[in-house]
Amino acid sequence: MDLFKQNRYVALLIGAILVCVGSICLLWRTVVVEGQEYFPAQEMDSYMPMKENNQVQSASSSFVRAKTHQLPKSAVVGIPLKSKMIQQHQLLKEQQVPAVPKLDKTIPPKQIFFTKTALLKPEDQAKSTWKYALSDEELLLLQKIVMAEAEGEPYEGKVAVANVVLNRLRSANYPDTIKEVIYQKHQFSPVRNGRLKRVKPNKDTVRAVTEALYGRKEVSDDTYYFLSIKLASDLTVARTQKKTKQIGNHTFYK
């Protein structure tokens, strides 16, 4: 009877030892990543029942994929993902790119850009075929001719007069500078009667000219003439050119 009791205690002790060993083996086989359990694909094969190879591989890969989706990409063991490094690199690259300064369109530009058929906005300068450096003298001259021609006209009419001068500057049929365009013989009446020298551009005129230089257009790029039917002594333009628009007292032609 005593021998039986001793054998029973030994059996219980051996059983407890085997349970501990088994638990340690299971823990050793389990990979713990950030609080999640993940079983590598190679070790999963030992837990799979012996079936056909394609069935075993399919079950194993499905299990691994299911576990992988539960983990952060940067934390999966055995898969060399670099998403965090890529994100950090892109962020650093963006920080190194200098910010493009916002264009202040209340200040007249120093250059204006053209194609063969149109004045361009500064943001479209890559499409230009030539550019024109605008001096302070010519800027003032442009403001004065717009003031002299359109002082009592609507704001849109002031922009349109500036458009006509710039259209002539661009065209191969007219002189190559703003000064020469304005002083071309028999073109602008304020040059003939001396009004051009007397006027001082007001705020609306300065703003209208600036907007025109930045690409605002109240008339099309092929508009080269304007006149006031009420005041004009020579109506040749009205008889020979095509009317494009009426703004205030001015009629525009191409």
Side-chain angles (χ1 to χ4, degrees), residues 100-107 109 121-123 125 214:
V100 178
K102 187 176 180 181
L103 188 63
D104 186 357
K105 292 190 176 183
T106 63
I107 301 174
K121 296 180 179 180
E123 50 267 35
Q125 61 182 276
Y214 277 114

Side-chain angles (χ1 to χ4, degrees), residues 21-93:
V21 171
S23 299
I24 293 172
C25 290
L26 287 175
L27 289 174
W28 179 76
R29 287 178 173 274
T30 302
V31 179
V32 180
V33 181
E34 295 183 2
Q36 299 281 348
E37 290 189 351
Y38 167 72
F39 297 90
Q42 292 180 350
E43 297 183 3
M44 285 302 303
D45 292 340
S46 62
Y47 294 98
M48 290 294 179
M50 297 301 294
K51 296 182 179 180
E52 294 181 5
N53 290 338
N54 59 346
Q55 293 178 346
V56 173
Q57 292 176 357
S58 175
S60 176
S61 61
S62 299
F63 184 87
V64 173
R65 284 198 300 270
K67 281 292 183 179
T68 301
H69 286 306
Q70 296 176 5
L71 299 175
K73 290 184 178 180
S74 60
V76 177
V77 176
I79 303 177
L81 296 179
K82 299 181 180 179
S83 59
K84 283 188 176 180
M85 293 177 63
I86 294 173
Q87 291 174 0
Q88 291 174 355
H89 177 71
Q90 291 177 344
L91 180 61
L92 182 62
K93 188 175 180 180

Side-chain angles (χ1 to χ4, degrees), residues 3-21:
L3 182 61
F4 175 75
K5 290 181 178 181
Q6 290 177 359
N7 290 337
R8 186 179 62 180
Y9 294 145
V10 171
L12 289 174
L13 179 60
I14 292 173
I17 292 172
L18 290 176
V19 170
C20 291
V21 171

Side-chain angles (χ1 to χ4, degrees), residues 225-229 237 243-253:
Y225 310 95
F226 66 91
L227 56 82
S228 173
I229 301 295
V237 169
K243 178 180 176 180
T244 61
K245 197 171 186 179
Q246 178 82 35
I247 304 176
N249 293 312
H250 281 153
T251 307
F252 293 83
Y253 302 86

